Amino acid sequence: MAVEDNGPDDYTQDGTVDLKGNPVRRSKRGGWTACSFVVVYEVFERMAYYGISSNLVLYLTRKLHQGTVSSANNVTNWVGTIWMTPVLGAYVADAHLGRYWTFVIACAIYLVGMSVLTLAVSVPGLKPPHCVDPIIENCKKSSTIQLAVFYGALYTLAVGTGGTKPNISTIGADQFDDFDPKEKGHKLSFFNWWMFSIFFGTLFANTVLVYIQDNVGWTLGYGLPTLGLAISILIFLAGTPFYRHRVPTGSPFTRMARVIVAALRKWKVPLPADPKELYELDLEEYNKKGKFRIDSTPTLRFLNKACVKTGSTNPWMLCSVTQVEETKQMLRMIPILVATFIPSTMVAQINTLFVKQGTLLNRNIGSFKIPPASLSAFVTISMLVCVVLYDRFFVPIMRKLTKNPRGITLLQRMGIGIVLHIIIMTVASLTERHRLNVAKDHGVVENGKPVPLSIFILLPQFVLMGTADAFLEVAKIEFFYDQAPESMKSLGTSYSMTSLGIGNFISSFLLSTVSHVTKKHGHHGWILNNLNASRLDYYYAFFTILNFLNFIFFVVMVKFYVYKAEVSNSMAILRESLGGTTNRIADHKKQEEPRLK
């Protein structure tokens, strides 16, 4: 059947092209058809990634014979690197290769890392001999060569994910044209279903794969994720004829640096009373390059000095208004980014301390023994349920009340997630205090044996973590994508990943610092290899206070945040269709709608 051709109006208006740089028709490329390949890719890729990360702390302790603090920190340092490398991948995509080719090359590196890692857990000479002694210090440690191969594979994998993570979700969002109200409406739901697909893959990893790793063997347990990654790459490549692409626009870091340097060099130059006197390119220049012109705004007013005309045309002395506004958009998001660091630190506990707690509880259901890492599946299940309920019920109800197409703003959604993290760590602290009391009552504090309590006492903190993710993590990735300039979408998306990376590094720092400080002056210490003799309840209570202080910081930052201008009037049209009055649209446009010429 021939694809319907709707004439000139069928061409996308957001500057997207095919791989050869030709304009594309929305009836032939993009939309949910293209997104289906991207979403299915993500299911298999997440299965691969979480198949490694979910149970990594147990591999480090049981097979490489590392202690509680060192194994947890090695996991969070690696995960932190995983989430920091996307900044590099976003730069390469936005400045040089484009999202598609950056992604494809990174996939090859990712697959090499996964393959070598599978060999590292399979070949006897690449791991220390098996040890049954419960005291880890008595077991033979890994050799330098063994550690080099294992960590070399892990960090090669991290380099690969640096090119895939910031670009795959951005490629998916690029399949919807902001200038078409119908497609804009679809994009508002895209990130919800994007996270839905992620956690389908995660669910399989946290149930089937961790069971295989615990009960069948690490070779098959790592071999299957590697196979899953290879399948995911093939699925993505199969969708190539359907994708829309954006042309690289040059280094975002260079453009931002020029604005800051120019503003500093002209700090004594007065700003003109009329913003129209500031330097700006003709509209035709933007149209030819498929870019968008942005009006000057009063926020971060000092940077406007970069576009004051002084006679010099040096790009490090004179920048266009649009270039300055793009820089402002990236800088305005930084305080919000900082407010997400602490919640990301809490997420890091799922695959480290939460899993270690599970090893010291009763995991038997009849003859079946529950793998400790499989409780992470309840984060996934909770997330899946909450995303569906949010998208299908909560948003429609809130749309009627707020006339906002999203139901509530992205920052309000993030705020709910941050509040939930306060509740999570309060529950985790109380649960751990109960576990320690039972351990004391049954005399298993010193020997470190499992406590006669069901592993399901940890269930509330896992379920609540999934609920928090449905609010915070989904809103976070959509917020940083939505608020980034059109030419810096990959870099904007990498902000949400940088948040997780820094959160993991903060987790490593806090765990080491608290462990060290609480052992000073002859004190027993809060975090020991024997968790029954530790005081994780104090550590989690400390996290509760940290989350509360972070929530206050977030509220203050939100109060001063100014939404960027939209590049089209699609949001206004959607709002009007919900019954919003002209006045409401006009009022909201001051914050979120376009002022393009």
Side-chain angles (χ1 to χ4, degrees):
M1 180 183 292
V3 179
E4 181 182 356
D5 186 340
N6 297 318
D9 290 341
D10 191 38
Y11 283 105
T12 58
Q13 300 175 51
D14 59 356
T16 50
V17 296
D18 62 17
L19 273 178
K20 295 180 180 179
N22 301 315
V24 296
R25 297 184 184 276
R26 61 171 57 92
S27 60
K28 293 184 178 181
R29 290 175 179 264
W32 286 113
T33 300
C35 277
S36 62
F37 291 94
V38 175
V39 167
V40 174
Y41 159 86
E42 192 65 7
V43 172
F44 282 91
E45 192 277 332
R46 290 295 83 187
M47 180 193 79
Y49 169 69
Y50 283 103
I52 303 300
S53 64
S54 295
N55 227 12
L56 183 58
V57 69
L58 294 188
Y59 184 84
L60 294 178
T61 52
R62 293 175 178 177
K63 298 300 179 180
L64 299 188
H65 313 142
Q66 296 180 1
T68 298
V69 174
S70 61
S71 61
N73 281 351
N74 282 331
V75 170
T76 49
N77 286 338
W78 173 68
V79 174
T81 304
I82 284 277
W83 292 110
M84 291 298 289
T85 52
V87 175
L88 177 61
Y91 164 75
V92 173
D94 283 342
H96 302 291
L97 298 180
R99 290 158 196 164
Y100 179 87
W101 290 115
T102 301
F103 176 84
V104 170
I105 293 170
C107 279
I109 299 172
Y110 193 170
L111 187 58
V112 168
M114 289 285 290
S115 301
V116 175
L117 189 64
T118 302
L119 289 176
V121 303
S122 305
V123 179
L126 295 178
K127 53 187 177 181
H130 180 66
C131 179
V132 295
D133 195 323
I135 301 175
I136 293 176
E137 289 80 0
N138 296 336
C139 296
K140 184 178 180 180
K141 301 297 181 183
S142 303
S143 68
T144 302
I145 294 295
Q146 290 168 342
L147 290 176
V149 173
F150 184 78
Y151 284 111
L154 278 180
Y155 283 91
T156 298
L157 187 161
V159 172
T161 59
T164 61
K165 286 183 183 296
N167 291 308
I168 185 61
S169 60
T170 314
I171 289 172
D174 285 346
Q175 305 312 308
F176 301 103
D177 186 353
D178 277 333
F179 288 86
D180 182 83
K182 183 178 179 180
E183 291 198 12
K184 179 67 175 181
H186 290 161
K187 182 181 280 191
L188 298 184
S189 291
F190 167 73
F191 287 102
N192 285 331
W193 296 105
W194 171 255
M195 294 300 288
F196 189 87
S197 70
I198 284 178
F199 283 92
F200 254 123
T202 307
L203 180 62
F204 182 84
N206 289 337
T207 52
V208 177
L209 290 181
V210 297
Y211 177 81
I212 290 173
Q213 291 165 358
D214 277 13
N215 298 280
V216 179
W218 292 92
T219 299
L220 183 61
Y222 275 32
L224 286 177
T226 303
L227 178 62
L229 178 64
I231 292 172
S232 72
I233 295 170
L234 293 176
I235 289 170
F236 175 82
L237 292 175
T240 299
F242 301 98
Y243 299 143
R244 301 174 188 173
H245 306 275
R246 289 191 181 274
V247 179
T249 55
S251 170
F253 297 115
T254 301
R255 295 204 304 277
M256 292 168 64
R258 284 173 175 170
V259 170
I260 295 170
V261 170
L264 290 173
R265 292 174 73 177
K266 294 190 287 188
W267 69 279
K268 290 184 178 181
V269 176
L271 288 169
D274 187 356
K276 292 182 180 179
E277 294 180 22
L278 297 172
Y279 174 70
E280 179 59 293
L281 301 176
D282 292 334
L283 185 58
E284 289 73 19
E285 290 293 319
Y286 292 103
N287 291 337
K288 284 191 295 186
K289 298 179 181 178
K291 296 182 180 180
F292 307 98
R293 195 167 76 175
I294 310 173
D295 283 350
S296 179
T297 63
T299 59
L300 298 175
R301 198 163 180 267
F302 172 78
L303 294 178
N304 289 347
K305 291 178 181 289
C307 42
V308 175
K309 300 172 185 176
T310 58
S312 173
T313 58
N314 185 328
W316 293 92
M317 276 293 288
L318 183 66
C319 304
S320 68
V321 169
T322 294
Q323 187 177 343
V324 169
E325 290 304 316
E326 287 177 339
T327 303
K328 287 182 182 180
Q329 288 168 14
M330 297 303 295
L331 295 179
R332 279 199 299 259
M333 292 191 291
I334 290 178
I336 303 298
L337 172 64
V338 172
T340 64
F341 291 166
I342 297 302
S344 295
T345 304
M346 303 306 107
V347 173
Q349 310 313 308
I350 298 173
N351 294 329
T352 53
L353 294 181
F354 284 9
V355 172
K356 290 287 289 182
Q357 284 177 279
T359 62
L360 295 175
L361 290 165
N362 179 13
R363 299 186 281 127
N364 295 315
I365 298 180
S367 59
F368 179 75
K369 199 165 188 177
I370 301 170
S374 68
L375 279 193
S376 299
F378 288 98
V379 177
T380 306
I381 294 169
S382 173
M383 171 78 175
L384 292 174
V385 171
C386 288
V387 164
V388 174
L389 292 177
Y390 185 90
D391 194 71
R392 294 303 182 191
F393 297 99
F394 181 79
V395 171
I397 292 171
M398 294 307 297
R399 277 175 179 166
K400 294 178 181 179
L401 297 175
T402 65
K403 309 304 178 187
N404 185 329
R406 287 191 173 94
I408 57 177
T409 68
L410 293 173
L411 290 176
Q412 287 171 340
R413 187 174 181 179
M414 290 171 67
I416 293 171
I418 291 174
V419 169
L420 286 172
H421 277 287
I422 300 173
I423 298 172
I424 290 166
M425 299 320 297
T426 302
V427 170
S429 178
L430 295 174
T431 301
E432 177 63 7
R433 177 167 296 187
H434 175 60
R435 192 190 71 82
L436 292 176
N437 288 336
V438 173
K440 185 177 180 180
D441 292 342
H442 287 79
V444 294
V445 172
E446 297 302 326
N447 58 28
K449 291 183 178 179
V451 177
L453 280 174
S454 171
I455 193 173
F456 290 112
I457 67 165
L458 300 179
L459 199 56
Q461 63 205 57
F462 281 93
V463 171
L464 284 170
M465 191 68 78
T467 306
D469 283 352
F471 283 91
L472 180 56
E473 295 304 315
V474 177
K476 189 168 70 176
I477 190 170
E478 183 176 356
F479 174 81
F480 290 122
Y481 173 88
D482 183 75
Q483 293 296 297
E486 298 304 308
S487 60
M488 301 181 186
K489 290 295 188 186
S490 292
L491 181 61
T493 303
S494 73
Y495 270 25
S496 63
M497 298 164 191
T498 300
S499 163
L500 289 168
I502 293 179
N504 276 273
F505 287 128
I506 291 174
S507 178
S508 296
F509 170 76
L510 291 176
L511 189 64
S512 298
T513 302
V514 171
S515 174
H516 175 72
V517 170
T518 55
K519 287 179 183 177
K520 280 187 174 182
H521 310 300
H523 292 292
H524 191 59
W526 287 5
I527 305 159
L528 309 170
N529 287 338
N530 178 4
L531 289 190
N532 287 348
S534 302
R535 293 312 305 254
L536 280 186
D537 56 331
Y538 292 167
Y539 189 52
Y540 291 159
F542 165 67
F543 276 162
T544 301
I545 296 170
L546 207 56
N547 275 287
F548 178 74
L549 295 175
N550 182 68
F551 175 69
I552 295 174
F553 172 75
F554 176 77
V555 170
V556 173
M557 292 302 101
V558 168
K559 184 177 180 180
F560 293 100
Y561 186 78
V562 178
Y563 286 91
K564 84 174 182 78
E566 293 279 354
V567 298
S568 75
N569 63 351
S570 295
M571 284 292 284
I573 293 173
L574 289 171
R575 187 172 295 105
E576 193 170 28
S577 69
L578 294 172
T581 65
T582 303
N583 287 337
R584 285 197 190 101
I585 295 171
D587 289 342
H588 192 79
K589 282 174 74 174
K590 293 178 182 177
Q591 297 180 6
E592 291 187 316
E593 297 301 334
R595 293 195 297 165
L596 292 176
K597 292 183 178 179

